[in-house]
Amino acid sequence: GNSVTQMEGPVTLSEEAFLTINCTYTATGYPSLFWYVQYPGEGLQLLLKATKADDKGSNKGFEATYRKETTSFHLEKGSVQVSDSAVYFCALREYGNKLVFGAGTILRVKS
Amino acid sequence: GAGVSQSPRYKVAKRGQDVALRCDPISGHVSLFWYQQALGQGPEFLTYFQNEAQLDKSGLPSDRFFAERPEGSVSTLKIQRTQQEDSAVYLCASSFAGTSPNEQFFGPGTRLTVL
């Protein structure tokens, strides 16, 4: 079946550091890809998405590019802030609309 | 309402008890999903409704799990004879249309602890 693998955390960075969280997927066909974020004490929120190969999703300074050739959707941000501390989930959407999530990556940003 | 709401937010049950978890989706949202999130893991799909029709229940882990959405709005996830392995956060999500992919909006979840 379809699956998503993302890098294990926690990832600990200093403020203004560059962030990369790796995500790769296994799927039949060409699923839509997503990054969701879960801030402490809050529910899952959509951060960004890409629906086809070479699409770049972006939001709040975060970016991810749908790479069909490497089946990847890595999350990047040029300069992280303390407020970015959260759990980040990579996900794909299967036919029928259900989401398949990775295990999540904890990001901790120190001031 | 402004978003997806779930109740109760926390539920403690003794092993063997039945529990019922409620989800109120965003008004007008056709699709409703239930996910189970174990500690330290990503959410896993349980079941999916389009209006009142349960179109996919392939993720329900056993016949102790049952979900319904009788009027196409509020949904209830029922777990019978709870076991310790049922301890998890149960997430509900809704989206506007069923025939084309749309963003799923998640509720805050119900944390179930089975003692």
Side-chain angles (χ1 to χ4, degrees), chain B:
Chain B
V4 178
S5 60
Q6 294 185 243
S7 61
R9 291 293 310 277
Y10 303 90
K11 176 70 179 177
V12 178
K14 292 183 179 178
R15 190 161 54 93
Q17 280 185 330
D18 297 349
V19 298
L21 312 180
R22 177 187 168 104
C23 172
D24 282 84
I26 293 172
S27 178
H29 277 195
V30 168
S31 297
L32 185 145
F33 303 80
W34 284 98
Y35 294 86
Q36 180 191 58
Q37 186 175 15
L39 187 64
Q41 299 298 313
E44 293 192 359
F45 171 81
L46 294 176
T47 187
Y48 160 54
F49 290 86
Q50 186 173 322
N51 295 308
E52 68 278 5
Q54 189 174 20
L55 298 186
D56 186 348
K57 54 181 181 179
S58 62
L60 296 177
S62 77
D63 59 7
R64 296 186 295 104
F65 286 71
F66 171 76
E68 60 184 4
R69 193 186 185 198
E71 296 178 358
S73 55
V74 171
S75 177
T76 304
L77 176 67
K78 298 179 179 178
I79 309 173
Q80 297 178 324
R81 305 181 302 282
T82 53
Q83 304 295 314
Q84 285 189 325
E85 61 263 28
D86 299 335
S87 296
V89 176
Y90 290 86
L91 298 172
C92 177
S94 69
S95 67
F96 180 66
T99 54
S100 61
N102 279 283
E103 178 182 349
Q104 291 183 26
F105 294 84
F106 283 81
T110 294
R111 182 178 297 277
L112 172 64
T113 303
V114 182
L115 303 176

Side-chain angles (χ1 to χ4, degrees), chain A residues 1-110:
Chain A
N2 297 340
S3 65
V4 174
T5 302
Q6 57 183 108
M7 65 189 288
E8 290 190 22
V11 174
T12 303
L13 296 173
S14 297
E15 208 164 18
E16 299 184 2
F18 184 86
L19 168 71
T20 300
I21 300 178
N22 290 337
C23 170
T24 57
Y25 67 90
T26 302
T28 53
Y30 303 105
S32 296
L33 301 175
F34 303 82
W35 277 99
Y36 278 82
V37 59
Q38 190 169 35
Y39 297 104
E42 299 185 16
L44 278 169
Q45 301 173 26
L46 178 64
L47 180 61
L48 54 83
K49 66 180 180 182
T51 57
K52 61 184 188 297
D54 300 325
D55 267 3
K56 178 185 284 187
S58 61
N59 186 25
K60 299 181 181 180
F62 291 89
E63 293 183 340
T65 301
Y66 190 141
R67 300 287 188 199
K68 186 179 67 171
E69 63 276 10
T70 54
T71 62
S72 65
F73 193 55
H74 304 320
L75 183 68
E76 297 182 336
K77 187 176 186 184
S79 175
V80 293
Q81 305 300 312
V82 172
S83 57
D84 293 327
S85 298
V87 185
Y88 292 81
F89 294 92
C90 185
L92 63 83
R93 182 167 56 208
E94 295 188 338
Y95 178 80
N97 294 331
K98 71 182 183 186
L99 295 170
V100 176
F101 287 88
T105 302
I106 297 172
L107 171 64
R108 297 181 180 140
V109 181
K110 305 178 299 182

